[in-house]
Amino acid sequence: MTRMIAFLANQTDRVRCAVSQEVDALRFGEGTGAWGVGSVQSGEVLLRRRPVIGRDAPSLPEMVRDLRTGSLLACARRTEEARRPEETVPPWRFRQWLCAVDGDLTAMAPWREALDRALPDFLARNARGDGADERVAHLLFAQLHGEGRLDDPDLDRLTLARCARAAVRALDALCGRSMPVSMLATNGRVLVALAREVPLSWVRRQGVRDVSACAEAEAPPARPSVQAA
């Protein structure tokens, strides 16, 4: 089971209070697993992962408490594997890109080597784990490369959406059937979410007035009352 959430905003100092309303978005109960957070800060892509063993996954505000970013992907995954679960959790990174993938990808296992061969060499080398979802993320990077837009800082969201759909179609062709899948991808400037046969929801909030925690953080401290002698 993987839970994923994406955040895109125009104020880098609001991330913690903005996600405060999604406090339980990545919780999966007690068990073995891991969480990962990727963010873009001052043009630099940062990625960190932590294991979760025998306790609840931390809340999303805890995961991002020290970040100043307008763009992030955060994921939590429960797994039966106790050995280094943090190596299996999205998001996946390539250059300025972050991508997270979830879905029923067990059917991909027999075709992993074929998928690696289908990727450009520099992308196949970047996919270091064993997970199918990491390869699907690299299918997106391959589509962007094929469009000549992998390193384009001015990439528009429609092109990104088209490449995401093309990556899923390539996955279908490889597996010989329509695959249930969801995908989140961002380069810090644009964000695309795609879902097929997997639940997906989104919310748009307009400034402080829509987020009580931000309003509380912005409010000036109360002035002490002065009483006449």
Side-chain angles (χ1 to χ4, degrees), residues 7 9-16 40 42 67-71:
F7 169 85
N10 59 3
Q11 291 181 289
T12 61
D13 60 341
R14 296 289 186 183
V15 57
R16 187 178 183 186
V40 182
S42 302
L67 294 182
R68 295 178 63 88
T69 180
S71 177

Side-chain angles (χ1 to χ4, degrees), residues 27-227:
R27 290 192 185 277
F28 55 69
E30 292 189 2
T32 299
W35 60 264
V37 173
S39 62
V40 182
Q41 300 188 72
S42 302
E44 183 179 1
V45 179
L46 305 178
L47 182 61
R48 58 187 179 188
R49 298 185 174 99
R50 299 288 187 274
V52 177
I53 300 177
R55 63 182 180 87
D56 284 342
S59 66
L60 183 56
E62 290 179 270
M63 296 179 190
V64 305
R65 64 182 180 274
D66 58 344
L67 294 182
R68 295 178 63 88
T69 180
S71 177
L72 69 82
L73 298 185
C75 306
R77 171 171 291 174
R78 188 171 185 172
T79 176
E80 300 300 324
E81 299 176 10
R83 181 177 177 273
R84 301 193 66 80
E86 67 273 20
E87 295 180 354
T88 70
V89 67
W92 310 109
R93 173 189 174 184
F94 185 76
R95 294 179 184 168
Q96 78 272 30
W97 285 99
L98 290 165
C99 183
V101 176
D102 188 33
D104 182 8
L105 302 177
T106 55
M108 273 199 64
W111 292 282
R112 177 188 153 185
E113 291 184 3
L115 177 54
D116 283 342
R117 290 195 297 270
L119 294 172
D121 287 344
F122 71 101
L123 288 174
R125 290 193 298 269
N126 192 67
R128 299 171 182 172
D130 296 328
D133 59 334
E134 185 177 5
R135 266 87 188 152
V136 178
H138 282 70
L139 276 179
L140 170 63
F141 304 148
Q143 293 295 329
L144 289 165
H145 173 66
E147 293 257 353
R149 309 294 297 276
L150 184 60
D151 298 311
D152 184 356
D154 298 319
L155 179 77
D156 59 282
R157 58 186 174 83
L158 295 180
T159 300
L160 177 56
R162 185 176 68 249
C163 288
R165 289 193 295 268
V168 172
R169 287 195 294 269
L171 172 66
D172 293 344
L174 184 67
C175 297
R177 65 182 180 91
S178 177
M179 297 294 292
V181 65
S182 61
M183 177 185 291
L184 303 173
T186 185
N187 64 354
R189 296 179 177 86
V190 291
L191 168 69
V192 161
L194 175 153
R196 184 174 62 190
E197 300 178 40
V198 177
L200 171 70
S201 61
W202 69 279
V203 62
R204 182 176 183 178
R205 297 196 173 98
Q206 297 284 355
V208 171
R209 67 178 182 272
D210 286 347
V211 185
S212 59
C214 291
E216 292 168 4
E218 189 174 77
R223 307 186 85 178
S225 59
V226 178
Q227 295 181 351

